[in-house]
Every structure is written in C-alpha cells, then in structure tokens.
Amino acid sequence: MGCLKGKKIVVTGATSGIGRAIVTELLAAEAYVYGVGFGADIVAELNALANCEAIELDVTSEEAVAAYAAGLDTVDGLVNSAGISILEPVLEFKKESIEKIFAVNVIGGMLMSKEIAKVMIKNKTAGAIVNLSSQASIIALRDHLGYCASKGAVDALTKVMCLELGEYNIRVNSVNPTVTMTAMGKMAWSDPAKSGPVLDAMPLGRFAEPEEIARPVLFLLSDAASMVSGVSLPVDGGYTIQ
C-alpha cells in the first residue's frame, strides 16, 4: 500500500480491536495516523509511535467532534471503526440499549464523516471514508437485534454519503467483517457449541484475524480503489453467500 505514504488518516476506535489493527497497518504503509479512542494508557502508547497522534474523544458528542475536526489542517481519509454491541433478544431488548448502540455505531460515524468531509472539501482533497459495518447487516444473528439494525444503518448511510459526497471527489465505502479474533472476539466465540455452527457454514472454515480486516480497509482508502465508492464489502470467508 505504498500509495498511502504520507496520507493523513483519521481512525476512530483506534485503541482496540480492529481499529488498533488498522492503525498498525496504516503506519506500516507509512501513512500519518490521527487516532481517536478511549483509555489514557493506550492513547499514550499510540502517541509514542512515530507518525501517530491520538486523543480520547467521544464520537457521539456533536460539539466535541466538531472541535476536533476544526483543529485538523488536512485529512486524506477517515475510518469509522468505533463500535459497541449489547446482546439482547427481541423479546427482552431495552430501549436504552438500542440508543447506546446507535449513538456509537451510527450517529458517531455520521458526525465524524460530516466534520471530516468538511475538512476535505475545504482543502479540495480527493478523500476516502471507510465505515466498519458487519456481516450482521446482511444476515440475522440471534440476540443481536440492536447490533444488526445498527450495521444495516451503516450500510445505508454509506450509500447516501457516496451519493452526496461524490461531487467533491470523496469516496465512501464500508467493510463487513465476520467474527474477528480480537480479544473480545476470542472471549465471545471461544465456546465450540457457539462457534461450531458458524464455522461449519463458512467456506474458509475459520474466523478472521484483525489484520485481515485492516488490509481491505487500506485498499479502500488507497488510490488503488479510486473508482470504488458506495460498496459494502463482505470480509467474511464466504459466510454470507448462504
């Protein structure tokens, strides 16, 4: 991904999981990373890395996001990787749980995209935005009512952003990962009784590693994808062909 050398990329959810893997891959590609996340210790670790600036930021705060974006000079790309999940079945879900999920997974990405797109437009930057969606936007997962609904919304907002930002030469895509072996993924899917049926239905027969999600994100950020916009790309070992 040499074509990302020197590009300035904002990554939310940068302090853990897939977001942290995206930061690692971007730095290896010689991009300059603005990391956004939570956890003072991890933010400090990121700030100790070359070509990386990180802060704690609540992406659900309209005021905080606007102030953050106003402090950036130029931005070439944005990755909306921040996300949460609260598992509740249809007959037991709580309104506040759905609101929390949508606040981070949907509204947070919309706010970041709005403000970073303004920076790109101001500087006439041919930018790229990548939203982290999920295979949960394509198939139903038991106990994932709020999460599935939020990721369906991510795919929808990706298309609207593609439509409205294309005239400014800003591309917008999403990636839709399968279960990924982050620390949280390993904990949640370590029970063979739970993981077995999913793995049996997956043509590649295994879950994804974080870097296997990060690399398609880098492709969509890069000039190699200069004519790719409005796409929701499954990175799922073939699981969603079912």
Side-chain angles (χ1 to χ4, degrees), residues 185-236:
K186 291 176 182 177
M187 181 175 61
W189 292 87
S190 60
D191 182 359
K194 181 179 179 180
S195 61
V198 177
L199 291 171
D200 288 343
M202 191 174 296
L204 290 187
R206 63 178 180 84
F207 293 139
E209 295 298 327
E211 61 270 19
E212 293 180 301
I213 311 304
R215 289 166 189 160
V217 170
L218 264 65
F219 164 70
L220 291 172
L221 289 170
S222 76
D223 293 338
S226 58
M227 197 58 183
V228 181
S229 195
V231 167
S232 294
L233 176 64
V235 187
D236 63 357

Side-chain angles (χ1 to χ4, degrees), residues 113 117 121 129 160-170 172:
S113 296
I121 293 167
I129 297 173
V160 176
M161 288 180 185
C162 163
L163 178 64
E164 295 192 10
L165 297 178
E167 65 181 280
Y168 302 104
N169 207 12
I170 298 172
V172 188

Side-chain angles (χ1 to χ4, degrees), residues 15 35-44 47 54-59 64 68:
T15 49
V36 170
F38 282 109
D41 291 346
I42 303 175
V43 167
N47 278 319
I55 68 164
E56 291 190 277
L57 178 70
D58 179 4
V59 298
Y68 174 70

Side-chain angles (χ1 to χ4, degrees), residues 25 29 32 37 74 79 84 89 97 135 137 152 175 199 217 220 236 241:
E25 294 292 327
Y32 194 97
T74 61
V79 182
I84 63 169
S97 298
Q135 67 180 19
S137 76
V175 295
L199 291 171
V217 170
L220 291 172
D236 63 357
I241 66 168

Side-chain angles (χ1 to χ4, degrees), residues 78-157:
L78 166 67
V79 182
N80 287 307
S81 183
I84 63 169
S85 179
I86 301 171
L87 303 186
E88 293 173 339
V90 171
L91 297 179
E92 298 176 16
F93 82 86
K94 301 176 184 64
K95 177 174 177 283
E96 56 268 29
S97 298
I98 305 299
E99 290 173 340
K100 287 180 182 178
I101 294 170
F102 267 73
V104 177
N105 296 6
V106 181
I107 296 173
M110 293 170 72
L111 291 173
M112 288 295 299
S113 296
K114 178 178 74 169
E115 298 302 334
I116 297 301
K118 288 179 182 178
V119 178
M120 294 175 177
I121 293 167
K122 178 182 177 182
N123 293 289
K124 295 182 171 57
T125 300
I129 297 173
V130 181
N131 299 314
L132 263 292
S133 184
S134 171
Q135 67 180 19
S137 76
I138 304 169
I139 58 170
L141 300 175
R142 187 175 296 275
D143 298 332
H144 284 67
L145 175 65
Y147 187 76
C148 285
S150 75
K151 293 305 184 178
V154 169
D155 285 351
L157 68 87

